[in-house]
Amino acid sequence: QKEVEQDPGPLSVPEGAIVSLNCTYSNSAFQYFMWYRQYSRKGPELLMYTYSSGNKEDGRFTAQVDKSSKYISLFIRDSQPSDSATYLCAMIPNSGYSTLTFGKGTMLLVSP
Amino acid sequence: ETGVTQSPTHLIKTRGQQVTLRCSSQSGHNTVSWYQQALGQGPQFIFQYYREEENGRGNFPPRFSGLQFPNYSSELNVNALELDDSALYLCASSSGPRDRRHLGSYEQYFGPGTRLTVT
């Protein structure tokens, strides 16, 4: 079992839809949770990060962490064609080195 | 503010050759991490450098080595290239290693990557 599981998609939605992207993880030591957006042939771009459980909102994006279920989510409201990209979840444990463990990424396609 | 830059953009090498990839960290950042991203996969951690010292290493063989310079730029060297080394190599910079008093140290900012093809 991989430490971080993420459905690769693709996930296709119409413009304006609410998008839900999810990751599950097995290592209970993960404490810091990030979401990155990666456009084709580009480096990942940090969207949001949260510490421990709870919600965090930034514009159209909301990140949720449920540590009891080892489940994190990213919601995108009023999705736009420019949101079409691969979304990667990443995590850092509570101790040791600050290295990111990534999921495989979910490809999102928002059609006009 | 200057972002993370990497060079070259693309590279084609033959199996058995050696390659050096370069990274300049974001202004104000002193920590550099290197990741390998195979097609259709998430990035995999190779190693991290802080103040010119290796500060953690992932599950990669010794033929993957690195350096960090006094200006915090960094190099990734790969010897005896194998076909499976074909991937996007990403460099990420951050403002320091783990520091619970400064959550910003957990934010890693990536460069555009170097796409390496081994034939």
Side-chain angles (χ1 to χ4, degrees), chain A residues 41, chain B residues 8-12 113-117:
Chain A
R41 297 187 173 274
Chain B
T9 306
H10 298 94
L11 206 52
I12 299 175
T114 293
R115 185 161 298 281
L116 172 65
T117 302

Side-chain angles (χ1 to χ4, degrees), chain B residues 16-99:
Chain B
Q17 286 187 316
Q18 178 266 342
V19 69
T20 297
L21 310 181
R22 294 178 176 81
C23 169
S24 291
S25 59
Q26 184 168 309
S27 175
H29 286 183
N30 57 20
T31 302
V32 172
S33 304
W34 285 92
Y35 293 82
Q36 179 196 66
Q37 187 176 23
L39 199 61
Q41 303 295 317
Q44 298 288 315
F45 174 70
I46 303 174
F47 42 57
Q48 181 182 85
Y49 278 84
Y50 169 62
R51 292 186 176 177
E52 303 177 58
E53 298 280 333
E54 188 177 285
N55 188 47
R57 187 178 184 91
N59 190 26
F60 280 80
R63 59 189 185 83
F64 285 79
S65 63
L67 282 174
Q68 188 179 33
F69 300 99
N71 66 354
Y72 306 127
S73 66
S74 178
E75 284 183 355
L76 164 65
N77 298 289
V78 188
N79 293 321
L81 284 166
E82 300 177 359
L83 297 179
D84 284 349
D85 296 334
S86 295
L88 181 68
Y89 287 84
L90 295 161
C91 161
S93 74
S94 52
S95 59
R98 168 183 307 282
D99 182 356

